[in-house]
Amino acid sequence: MAYYISLFSPETYRAFSNSDRQISGYREHRKMIALHVKPGDILICYMTKLSRWVGILEVSSQYFIDNRPIFTEFNDPFVVRFHVSSKVWLAPEDGIPIKNDICRKHLSFTKTLPRSSLAWTNRVRGSLTKLSEEDGQYLEMLLTAQSNAPQSYPLTEADKRKLSPSTIHTEGGQIPVLVPDEESRTPIQSRTETEHIQIQAALARIGEAMGFRVWIPGRERQKVLGIWHPARDNTLLTNLPLNCDEVTLRTIAYIDVLWIHRNAIMRAFEVEHSSSVYSGLLRMADLMSLQPNLRIKAHIVAPVSRRRKVFQEISRPVFALMGSGPMSESCSYLSYDAIREIGSERNLSRMNDTVLDDYAEYAQESEF
């Protein structure tokens, strides 16, 4: 028996609560991880935004693919599914906060951290993250005891707002959005160029190792080459080999890093160290609007300290109403730490770009 984390946003928590609670679902990019989950394994359920442990599900099947709407009204993205039995399912006010000492002082990934640290969020960045047996058994015991004799953890006004996000109605159903208030706006600071260039170089090196050709905007190309030294002459592109109109090409040319296979963009990255996240998202939105039929995987790469800002901006109404679908579904967040971890892999040249999906975080599943 193994233990895994199963993430629920307030929206998917509500949808699962209103269902018969016999099917748990995950995004398609979790399919390779789902292969390892077996009947009898335990899913420890965690609600993002509230940062609370809320349930225990026991897996009763191998994974299967099903796009029948369960977690969203239309176009349900959680198509990798398991049959499950619900062992514990708590109300939000009974969920156990991860920062409460009963958790914080006992879990392997929180007990050595100061209370103010956010480093633990890396452990709850994606569903089906495997827990150690010790952590899994402790959380199972804790949640079972809470179910039998609930201790209330009252919701603050901020918690209640997180449970009732704004939504807009579209032909594809209801889409959660966020309109940042004045307090949530991060002032734009002067660009700290060195680290920004280092991350661009790291992305270029990873892309090259995986067999892609790489595009870096001309304004930063020489600085990146001061750190990254391509092993092959044809890796770094000086012209984009894309069959696009001039407007599209000009838009694409300013994106921080592109991974290109043959004549197609496979991954697009905007590195947002201290500049406005909004501007990077606009470039991604322009690309997707100009090329709506392309299935480009887009990523905003930023320090952990900017994770919250990325998810606030990506959930704005303007990005929810795009013709190609909401940006929160097509553009994910990658931390600097994730890029460094991938870049340090000894067998990087034997990997493919799907490894990024194990680190990618989406707004609806995010902790913030």
Side-chain angles (χ1 to χ4, degrees):
M1 183 179 70
Y3 293 90
Y4 297 88
I5 294 174
S6 185
L7 299 185
F8 288 83
S9 67
E11 295 77 30
T12 56
Y13 169 89
R14 188 159 42 247
F16 185 75
S17 298
N18 292 334
S19 73
D20 58 13
R21 287 188 269 171
Q22 293 183 4
I23 292 178
S24 185
Y26 307 92
R27 294 178 185 274
E28 191 170 8
H29 70 258
R30 294 291 171 189
K31 186 164 60 176
M32 295 305 295
I33 304 174
L35 282 169
H36 301 287
V37 181
K38 307 298 182 187
D41 287 345
I42 299 296
L43 304 175
I44 303 295
C45 303
Y46 179 87
M47 195 195 307
T48 61
K49 307 294 195 292
L50 283 192
S51 309
R52 296 186 178 208
W53 303 102
V54 293
I56 303 171
L57 305 177
E58 182 176 339
V59 178
S60 56
S61 75
Q62 302 288 344
Y63 89 83
F64 58 96
I65 302 297
D66 178 21
N67 62 5
R68 176 170 53 93
I70 295 177
F71 301 97
T72 63
E73 189 176 354
F74 299 101
N75 300 321
D76 192 332
F78 305 103
V79 298
V80 176
R81 297 177 177 176
F82 296 93
H83 289 293
V84 297
S85 58
S86 180
K87 301 298 184 184
V88 170
W89 195 249
L90 303 175
E93 60 271 19
D94 294 333
I96 302 173
I98 193 172
K99 286 191 174 183
N100 187 280
D101 284 351
I102 198 172
C103 283
R104 189 178 64 84
K105 291 185 175 181
H106 292 85
L107 297 178
S108 64
F109 53 93
T110 57
K111 64 183 180 182
T112 61
L113 299 173
R115 182 180 290 274
S116 60
S117 174
L118 295 176
W120 56 268
T121 59
N122 285 326
R123 290 288 294 171
V124 292
R125 68 185 170 206
S127 278
L128 301 183
T129 297
K130 194 171 185 179
L131 286 163
S132 70
E133 185 174 0
E134 183 180 0
D135 286 341
Q137 288 178 346
Y138 181 75
L139 286 167
E140 184 179 24
M141 176 273 295
L142 204 62
L143 287 163
T144 301
Q146 176 71 348
S147 179
N148 293 332
Q151 175 184 346
S152 180
Y153 297 95
L155 300 175
T156 65
E157 288 304 314
D159 290 335
K160 293 175 183 177
R161 287 195 296 273
K162 291 173 184 176
L163 285 173
S164 302
S166 301
T167 59
I168 56 176
H169 296 269
T170 70
E171 292 181 358
Q174 289 188 340
I175 299 173
V177 298
L178 176 69
V179 180
D181 55 30
E182 290 297 326
E183 293 181 358
S184 69
R185 294 183 183 175
T186 303
I188 300 173
Q189 303 167 355
S190 60
R191 194 180 185 93
T192 306
E193 189 175 55
T194 301
E195 194 164 14
H196 180 278
I197 296 296
Q198 288 172 347
I199 294 297
Q200 276 184 287
L203 286 166
R205 188 178 70 82
I206 294 168
E208 180 185 32
M210 292 181 178
F212 295 105
R213 289 186 292 170
V214 177
W215 169 262
I216 304 288
R219 67 182 185 275
E220 293 163 344
R221 195 173 299 147
Q222 286 306 122
K223 294 174 184 176
V224 170
L225 286 173
I227 301 172
W228 167 56
H229 308 290
R232 295 183 298 275
D233 291 339
N234 65 345
T235 296
L236 182 62
L237 295 166
T238 54
N239 292 291
L240 285 167
L242 308 176
N243 185 23
C244 301
D245 59 76
E246 185 180 347
V247 172
T248 302
L249 283 173
R250 285 207 310 268
T251 300
I252 294 171
Y254 285 106
I255 293 175
D256 282 330
V257 181
L258 297 173
W259 289 357
I260 295 175
H261 178 61
R262 295 179 180 170
N263 294 330
I265 299 171
M266 306 306 293
R267 303 264 176 175
F269 305 88
E270 275 290 323
V271 181
E272 300 297 341
H273 187 76
S274 58
S275 57
S276 170
V277 172
Y278 189 72
S279 62
L281 285 169
L282 281 176
R283 279 191 288 274
M284 294 298 195
D286 286 344
L287 171 59
M288 293 173 184
S289 297
L290 290 165
Q291 297 290 305
N293 297 321
L294 298 182
R295 302 297 296 174
I296 299 168
K297 292 197 173 184
H299 308 281
I300 299 296
V301 185
V304 171
S305 61
R306 306 204 79 200
R307 180 198 267 124
R308 180 184 181 89
K309 182 65 175 175
V310 171
F311 292 132
Q312 286 175 335
E313 296 292 352
I314 209 170
S315 300
R316 283 177 176 266
V318 67
F319 296 127
L321 295 170
M322 292 170 54
S324 57
M327 178 74 83
S328 58
E329 290 291 328
S330 57
C331 184
S332 67
Y333 164 77
L334 289 168
S335 70
Y336 280 11
D337 292 341
I339 298 305
R340 292 182 179 118
E341 187 173 333
I342 295 168
S344 67
E345 289 284 350
R346 184 173 299 178
N347 297 316
L348 190 59
S349 61
R350 299 179 186 175
M351 296 179 174
N352 61 44
D353 63 314
T354 59
V355 70
L356 271 68
D357 298 331
D358 294 339
Y359 294 85
E361 300 179 57
Y362 289 84
Q364 285 188 346
E365 302 170 349
S366 74
E367 178 59 23
F368 300 108

